[in-house]
Structures are given as structure tokens and as C-alpha cells.
Amino acid sequence: NAGVTQTPKFQVLKTGQSMTLQCAQDMNHEYMSWYRQDPGMGLRLIHYSVGAGITDQGEVPNGYNVSRSTTEDFPLRLLSAAPSQTSVYFCASSPEGGAGSGTGELFFGEGSRLTVL
Amino acid sequence: AQTVTQSQPEMSVQEAETVTLSCTYDTSESDYYLFWYKQPPSRQMILVIRQEAYKQQNATENRFSVNFQKAAKSFSLKISDSQLGDAAMYFCAYVGPGTYKYIFGTGTRLKVLA
């Protein structure tokens, strides 16, 4: 099983460039989310989605856009990259997400390391 | 707002010994989920153990167990018979009812000494 697949795994951008981090899952999970991981700060939620057509902001949404046109895909767009967006990005999915009827377990991709010069 | 605090940036343990990683959280909710995730050098995030707040019994998974103190809002992870493969970053995480915003602590780096 592929699980959660993130591409690319590494990317170097120049300030002001745009790019999209791709995330796809084959587990039919309704919940998908994006995190950034920075040294000493843990993982911080950027955006999340509870189903196709539904997205919402997390803790650090500025500078990032998302959309969810299908259950499987949840791309993260950087419209104008800044050095402050240098980080490792994780996509994670869950059958339902949250503290509800399911386990709430997040299934993570392998991460994408982004460097903005 | 809910917060998760891991006050130990780094811990060391001798192989085969026991180590406890600390996690405290702040919430006004009564029902929520708590998790410990492991991140080895490969960067992959792996679920170690989870706890549902309404369950009084502490969760266990083989050598991993938690000490869940709901009133004290404490959720520590105990690793018994530590192995070299346990060396990793460990993150504590919380998610509350009616929200889908998972909150992670800053992590504890565990070193296992041979």
C-alpha cells in the first residue's frame, strides 16, 4: 500500500517563486492536513480538510493556499516563496480526523524539505 | 487555546533501561485524544501509542506505556527495555472534540546509549 505520498521530497526555490507540494493518499481518508516542522517548534498545522471541497486554516496559514477537489489529493501552494517558509513539510491523513468516532490517528507522508533562498 | 508542552528537549537512556518522557497539555475539554509519535532519522512519523481521555486505563503497546493523569493534564511516555532503535524524536500531540486541529509539542530527542 502506498499510503500517503508526498512529492517532491526536496526542493530549492528562490524568493518570490511559486510552487506546489503534492499530497496523495489511497486510503479513502476524509481528513487531510499539512504541517510544517521547524527546529525547536514541533509540527504546526498549516491547513486541513475534512472532505472534498472543504478546507480550513490551521495555526500558520499565511503564505499558503490549499484546495481539495478530490478525496485523494490535497496540494499545498506557495504563491510567492519567502525564506521564512524554509522548512520540512508533512502531509497527514486520517479516516475521520479529530476526536470523534474513530481513532484520530494521523498517517503521515515522508515529508518534503523546502529551502527558499 | 489548547497547548502541549514537552519540557525535555533531550533525554538519554542506557540500552535495556527504562526512560520516561514528559508531556503536559492545557485544555478545558473533558473528552479528547492524546498521542505519542516517533520520528526516527528517516523523518517518517510513526504512531507509538494513543489515549482517549474518557478511558481511565493507561494505554500500553508492548514496551511502551503511558501514565495519563487527567486532572494534572499530564501524559508521559514510558519506554521499557530501551533499544537502539528507540533513538528518535518523540512528539506528544492533542486533538479535542469538534475540532480537527491537532496540536503538537516541540519534541524530545531520545538518545539510546549502548
Side-chain angles (χ1 to χ4, degrees):
Chain A
N1 289 340
V4 178
T5 303
Q6 288 183 233
T7 56
K9 292 202 171 24
F10 300 93
Q11 183 72 48
V12 179
L13 288 178
K14 294 181 179 179
T15 298
Q17 287 185 319
S18 63
M19 78 155 299
T20 299
L21 295 174
Q22 301 290 346
C23 177
Q25 52 92 7
D26 62 357
M27 298 175 282
N28 201 32
H29 287 173
E30 290 296 323
Y31 179 86
M32 296 186 74
S33 54
W34 277 102
Y35 296 82
R36 59 177 291 171
Q37 181 179 12
D38 301 294
M41 304 192 74
L43 278 76
R44 292 180 293 168
L45 180 64
I46 304 171
H47 286 286
Y48 66 94
S49 168
V50 297
I54 305 170
T55 63
D56 206 347
Q57 296 181 348
E59 181 184 355
V60 288
N62 292 342
Y64 306 95
N65 281 353
V66 292
S67 60
R68 184 97 179 268
S69 57
T70 67
T71 299
E72 294 78 19
D73 300 300
F74 191 46
L76 179 71
R77 298 183 184 84
L78 285 71
L79 298 180
S80 179
S84 61
Q85 293 177 304
T86 293
S87 188
V88 177
Y89 291 86
F90 285 94
C91 179
S93 72
S94 181
E96 307 91 9
S101 58
T103 67
E105 178 184 356
L106 290 174
F107 295 79
F108 284 85
E110 295 181 341
S112 300
R113 180 176 293 279
L114 175 65
T115 302
V116 183
L117 303 176
Chain B
Q2 290 88 357
T3 58
V4 175
T5 301
Q6 293 179 250
S7 58
Q8 306 154 316
E10 191 170 292
M11 294 279 287
S12 295
V13 63
Q14 206 69 33
E15 197 175 5
E17 296 294 311
T18 296
V19 65
T20 298
L21 308 184
S22 300
C23 173
T24 59
Y25 57 95
D26 186 25
T27 183
S28 59
E29 303 291 346
S30 59
D31 195 13
Y32 45 86
Y33 292 175
L34 295 164
F35 308 86
W36 278 99
Y37 278 89
K38 171 185 178 181
Q39 186 181 44
S42 68
R43 205 166 68 190
Q44 181 69 50
M45 294 285 287
I46 304 164
L47 177 67
V48 175
I49 201 165
R50 61 182 289 277
Q51 175 82 42
E52 296 177 31
Y54 72 89
K55 292 184 177 179
Q56 294 185 338
Q57 186 173 7
N58 289 328
T60 63
E61 288 288 342
N62 301 314
R63 297 183 294 108
F64 299 88
S65 61
V66 299
N67 184 3
F68 174 50
Q69 301 289 329
K70 190 172 184 178
K73 297 179 183 176
S74 172
F75 183 60
S76 60
L77 174 69
K78 185 172 81 170
I79 306 173
S80 304
D81 185 25
S82 296
Q83 301 175 0
L84 295 177
D86 295 334
M89 280 288 285
Y90 286 82
F91 292 98
C92 179
Y94 162 100
V95 67
T99 176
Y100 299 93
K101 296 183 179 182
Y102 290 73
I103 301 168
F104 285 78
T106 53
T108 296
R109 182 172 301 281
L110 178 66
K111 295 184 177 181
V112 180
L113 308 174

